[in-house]
């Protein structure tokens, strides 16, 4: 991926999505991680767009978090599976 073609906010969202996947011990970064990162960002454009479409961004974030909780996670020494 050529990150030079991405905006600063896009790079931040990708980094946040990756951090979220690592924190949750997920094996890969999925769409849910990116959506969660976009909805969690301060002054999020995505949250504003959701609101304009009549979708509650807080509810969307909660549903996205539920989806994240269902993703498989890996375990290793010192880690327990969810």
């Amino acid at each position: 991926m050529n990150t030079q073609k991405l905006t600063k906010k896009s790079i931040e969202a990708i980094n946040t999505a990756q951090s979220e996947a690592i924190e949750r011990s997920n094996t890969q970064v999925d769409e849910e991680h990116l959506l969660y990162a976009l909805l969690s960002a301060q002054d999020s454009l995505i949250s504003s767009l959701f609101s304009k479409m009549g979708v509650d961004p807080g509810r969307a974030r909660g549903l996205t978090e539920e989806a994240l909780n269902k993703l498989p996670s890996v375990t290793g020494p010192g880690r327990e599976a969810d």
Side-chain angles (χ1 to χ4, degrees):
M1 176 187 309
N2 185 355
T3 56
Q4 292 179 346
K5 293 184 178 184
L6 299 175
T7 65
K8 181 180 176 185
K9 290 284 189 183
S10 297
I11 293 169
E12 287 174 7
I14 291 168
N15 288 336
T16 300
Q18 182 180 25
S19 295
E20 192 67 34
I22 291 168
E23 183 177 314
R24 294 172 177 274
S25 300
N26 299 129
T27 57
Q28 62 188 23
V29 179
D30 289 314
E31 303 88 21
E32 294 88 350
H33 296 102
L34 185 56
L35 180 57
Y36 187 79
L38 291 169
L39 288 169
S40 299
Q42 187 176 9
D43 299 325
S44 169
L45 173 63
I46 299 301
S47 291
S48 295
L49 291 174
F50 273 39
S51 292
K52 287 182 181 185
M53 294 187 308
V55 177
D56 177 15
R59 174 128 170 84
R61 184 173 180 246
L63 291 170
T64 305
E65 187 165 13
E66 286 178 23
L68 286 171
N69 290 335
K70 294 177 183 177
L71 293 175
S73 60
V74 295
T75 60
R79 296 197 95 144
E80 295 182 15
D82 292 338

